[in-house]
């Protein structure tokens, strides 16, 4: 073999051997420090996700706690609301029970007083009859008198007959006596008119007594404006030397009070058939009871009456009106619990038109005069009444608890702004010793008083008459004793 070829083959074999061993023993290429081969997450990357997991876990835990707290707050609010409702229901039940007991006590007192009066009248009648019989028995017999009987035409002793005005006068005196009895607390020594009487009953009435007179008027709910008017009348009379006599001072007060109260009065005026009367007022004023008393008086006058149970927010009011309706004999139009009161009034008026009723008395829910949405509800009822019958409601009477004092004036002002009031009903006048609020309301608002309540019975609701009222409170006072 040629030495050259042999040398080439040897060199080629050596190169192949070197290449082989180089490939077999080659290490993987080293990666930069901190890097990991692709396809496998690094430890640092895994450790970097842990804070995010912790943060996400904290957010979830926090949200769970907030949700749990919200649920607990809702449960507490629901429990508090439940307790408040239970407390309100309990207080209302207690108030109704107290009112019922008060009414029963007053009724028992009235009945006892009536029985005592009946007994006194009976004894007086028996005593008069006994005396008359004794006088007749003690007279000597007069035989000639029967023969001297005048002829029939002349036998009627016309001069002995009572004049036509005698019966109304006697009835008026009886009414004044009833009103005076009902106002016993106001006319008593500690009452408004009793204190006035004690002040004026003095032998002299110097100008210095005006301060005492002002105190009596202001503390009896007469009000600042009306008090100033009364004092100005007395002050002017004293300066002119016209009221030096206490009797004249009393008469001046009497005339001024009569002038203030003589802006109208009397009961309901039937101007249409049916005449629609809407009763409004705050809770506890006595609207439902007043409606029942007016219905009783009207039915006694042979008037047909329908009562509308417009107080749909209080189930007890509907039941109470139904009970009165059964007792009086008047139909009661009602709706379902929570029904629209305007719809109930509309249905009552429609029924009244169909049946030819004389009067429709509409009860409404009691509401605070400061609650605008509730006052707007009254306007809605009035509009519904007008849709059912042109001109309705013909009367809108505000029922006021006379024992509320100055608050009664506030009620009258705000209700009169919401609805055109045609009159007031002052209830529970027998339960207050102040009694001056009637002068203040009539003087400042010029709204006539139509009825006054002096007891629980239907006959204790009197149609207001200024002369009768003034005579009852001023008639037996102010005289020197």
């Amino acid at each position: 073999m040629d030495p050259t070829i042999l040398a080439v083959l040897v060199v080629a074999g050596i190169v192949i051997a070197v290449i082989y061993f180089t490939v077999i023993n080659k290490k993987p290429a080293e990666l930069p420090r901190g890097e990991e081969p692709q396809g496998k997450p690094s430890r640092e990357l895994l450790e970097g996700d842990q804070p995010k997991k912790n943060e996400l876990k904290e957010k979830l835990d926090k949200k769970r706690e907030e949700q749990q707290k919200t649920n607990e707050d809702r449960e507490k609010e629901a429990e508090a609301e439940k307790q408040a409702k239970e407390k309100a229901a309990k207080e209302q039940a207690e108030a109704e029970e107290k009112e019922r007991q008060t009414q029963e006590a007053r009724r028992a007192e009235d009945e006892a007083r009536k029985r005592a009066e009946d007994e006194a009248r009976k004894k007086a009648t028996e005593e008069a009859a006994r005396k008359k019989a004794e006088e007749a028995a003690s007279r000597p017999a007069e035989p000639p008198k029967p023969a001297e009987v005048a002829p029939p035409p002349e036998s009627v002793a016309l001069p002995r007959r009572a004049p036509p005005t005698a019966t109304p006068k006697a009835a008026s005196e009886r009414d004044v006596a009833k009103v005076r009895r009902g106002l016993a607390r106001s006319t008593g020594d500690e009452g408004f008119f009793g204190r006035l009487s004690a002040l004026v009953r003095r032998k002299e009435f110097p100008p210095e007594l005006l301060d005492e007179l002002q105190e009596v008027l202001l503390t009896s709910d007469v009000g600042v404006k009306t008090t100033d008017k009364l004092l100005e009348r007395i002050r002017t009379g004293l300066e002119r030397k016209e009221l030096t006599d206490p009797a004249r001072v009393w008469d001046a007060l009497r005339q001024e009070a009569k002038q203030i109260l003589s802006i109208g009065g009397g009961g309901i005026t039937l101007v249409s058939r049916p005449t629609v009367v809407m009763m409004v007022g705050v809770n506890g004023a006595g609207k439902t009871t007043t409606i029942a008393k007016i219905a009783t008086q009207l039915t006694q006058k042979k008037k047909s009456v329908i009562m509308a149970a417009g107080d749909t927010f209080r189930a007890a009011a509907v039941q109470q009106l139904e009970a009165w309706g059964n007792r009086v004999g008047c139909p009661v139009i009602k709706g379902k619990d929570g029904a629209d009161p305007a719809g109930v009034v509309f249905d009552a008026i429609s029924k009244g038109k169909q049946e030819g009723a004389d009067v429709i008395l509409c009860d409404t829910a009691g509401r605070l005069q400061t609650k605008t949405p509730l006052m707007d509800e009254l306007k809605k009822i009035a509009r519904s009444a007008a849709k059912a019958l042109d001109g309705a409601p013909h009367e809108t009477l505000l029922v006021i608890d006379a024992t509320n004092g100055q608050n009664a004036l506030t009620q009258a002002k705000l209700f009169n702004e919401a609805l055109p009031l045609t009159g007031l009903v002052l209830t529970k006048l027998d339960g207050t010793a102040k009694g001056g609020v009637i002068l203040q309301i009539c003087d400042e608002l010029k709204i006539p008083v139509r009825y006054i309540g002096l007891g629980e019975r239907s006959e204790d609701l009197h149609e207001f008459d200024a002369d009768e009222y003034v005579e009852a409170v001023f008639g037996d006072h102010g005289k020197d004793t």
Side-chain angles (χ1 to χ4, degrees):
M1 179 177 292
D2 189 359
T4 302
I5 296 173
L6 180 63
V8 171
L9 291 174
V10 171
V11 171
I14 293 170
V15 171
I16 292 172
V18 171
I19 293 172
Y20 173 79
F21 284 108
T22 300
V23 172
I24 292 300
N25 296 323
K26 187 179 180 180
K27 294 181 180 180
E30 293 183 359
L31 295 174
R33 181 176 299 176
E35 292 186 7
E36 294 289 340
Q38 293 183 357
K40 181 179 179 181
S42 66
R43 180 180 299 173
E44 288 80 0
L45 183 61
L46 292 176
E47 292 176 354
D49 289 342
Q50 190 62 32
K52 293 183 179 180
K53 291 181 180 179
N54 293 336
E55 183 181 354
L56 180 60
K57 183 180 179 182
E58 289 177 0
K59 289 183 179 180
L60 292 174
D61 292 342
K62 186 176 181 180
K63 188 172 182 181
R64 217 170 5 249
E65 290 176 358
E66 291 177 352
Q67 184 67 31
Q68 184 177 0
K69 185 177 180 181
T70 302
N71 293 336
E72 291 176 355
D73 291 341
R74 288 178 180 174
E75 290 177 358
K76 289 180 181 179
E77 290 177 359
E79 183 65 23
E81 184 177 357
K82 181 181 178 182
Q83 292 177 357
K85 288 182 179 179
E86 291 176 353
K87 183 179 179 181
K90 183 179 179 181
E91 290 177 351
Q92 182 177 358
E94 290 176 352
E96 291 178 353
E97 178 63 20
K98 185 177 180 181
E99 179 67 18
R100 185 187 65 79
Q101 293 177 356
T102 302
Q103 291 179 358
E104 289 180 355
R106 288 181 179 176
R107 192 178 299 111
E109 182 181 348
D110 292 339
E111 290 176 355
R113 183 176 60 191
K114 185 178 179 181
R115 283 196 299 269
E117 292 174 354
D118 292 341
E119 287 292 332
R121 282 195 295 268
K122 184 178 179 181
K123 289 181 179 179
T125 303
E126 291 176 353
E127 183 66 19
R130 185 182 63 78
K131 288 182 179 181
K132 187 175 181 181
E134 290 176 355
E135 291 176 359
S138 63
R139 288 199 195 106
E142 298 181 2
K145 279 191 174 181
E148 295 178 1
V149 177
E154 300 177 3
S155 62
V156 181
L158 293 176
R160 295 184 181 179
R161 286 186 178 180
T165 57
T167 300
K169 183 177 180 181
S172 176
E173 289 174 354
R174 287 196 298 272
D175 291 340
V176 169
K178 289 180 181 179
V179 173
R180 184 175 291 133
R181 285 196 300 270
L183 295 170
R185 295 190 65 180
S186 293
T187 57
D189 293 340
E190 299 299 325
F192 169 40
F193 297 103
R195 293 166 63 198
L196 271 183
S197 174
L199 185 63
V200 178
R201 192 183 291 131
R202 304 180 184 184
K203 293 182 180 180
E204 296 181 356
F205 194 91
E208 293 77 13
L209 287 182
L210 285 175
D211 292 338
E212 294 185 39
L213 179 59
Q214 182 182 40
E215 180 182 357
V216 171
L217 294 172
L218 290 177
T219 56
S220 299
D221 293 333
V222 175
V224 176
K225 183 178 178 181
T226 308
T227 294
D228 289 343
K229 176 183 289 189
L230 294 172
L231 290 178
E232 183 62 27
R233 170 72 178 88
I234 302 302
R235 187 179 292 108
T236 302
L238 291 174
E239 291 174 354
R240 296 177 180 177
K241 307 297 182 182
E242 298 174 351
L243 302 178
T244 55
D245 183 1
R248 293 186 178 180
V249 175
W250 185 257
D251 187 62
L253 287 172
R254 175 175 178 160
Q255 294 302 322
E256 196 67 27
K258 183 177 179 180
Q259 182 177 354
I260 291 173
L261 297 174
S262 298
I263 58 174
I268 296 172
T269 303
L270 304 185
V271 297
S272 173
R273 189 171 186 185
T275 294
V276 180
V277 181
M278 185 173 167
M279 310 293 286
V280 299
V282 302
N283 286 316
K287 294 185 303 301
T288 305
T289 305
T290 299
I291 287 175
K293 291 178 179 179
I294 294 176
T296 301
Q297 295 180 4
L298 289 173
T299 53
Q300 290 173 352
K301 296 177 182 178
K302 309 301 181 183
K303 302 295 182 182
S304 58
V305 180
I306 291 178
M307 294 189 286
D311 187 357
T312 59
F313 299 101
R314 190 167 62 95
V318 178
Q319 296 171 1
Q320 183 182 3
L321 201 63
E322 283 186 305
W324 274 109
N326 294 332
R327 188 183 308 176
V328 178
C330 297
V332 176
I333 306 302
K334 65 176 183 177
K336 297 180 180 179
D337 291 343
D340 183 10
V344 174
V345 170
F346 186 93
D347 293 341
I349 296 175
S350 299
K351 186 175 181 62
K353 291 167 60 179
Q354 294 174 1
E355 298 185 356
D358 294 308
V359 182
I360 297 175
L361 301 174
C362 304
D363 193 11
T364 60
R367 61 206 67 218
L368 291 175
Q369 67 275 11
T370 55
K371 301 298 183 181
T372 302
L374 295 178
M375 299 299 284
D376 291 340
E377 184 70 28
L378 287 180
K379 299 177 184 178
K380 178 182 176 183
I381 295 174
R383 291 194 298 269
S384 178
K387 290 179 181 179
L389 180 64
D390 290 339
H394 306 97
E395 296 269 17
T396 303
L397 303 182
L398 173 62
V399 182
I400 295 179
D401 183 346
T403 62
N404 284 341
Q406 291 297 309
N407 191 37
L409 178 68
T410 304
Q411 293 176 24
K413 284 181 177 179
L414 295 179
F415 272 98
N416 194 41
E417 291 175 1
L419 293 169
L421 299 178
T422 60
L424 304 174
V425 180
L426 284 176
T427 63
K428 307 177 187 179
L429 266 175
D430 57 320
T432 177
K434 295 183 178 181
V437 69
I438 188 172
L439 293 171
Q440 183 183 18
I441 293 177
C442 290
D443 182 44
E444 294 194 24
L445 301 184
K446 308 302 180 185
I447 302 175
V449 177
R450 309 297 290 278
Y451 292 93
I452 54 175
L454 302 175
E456 298 299 328
R457 300 174 300 179
S458 61
E459 57 266 28
D460 292 330
L461 183 69
H462 295 260
E463 294 183 2
F464 183 75
D465 180 89
D467 293 336
E468 180 182 285
Y469 185 85
V470 170
E471 178 62 28
V473 297
F474 284 93
D476 287 346
H477 294 276
K479 297 176 182 178
D480 194 8
T481 54

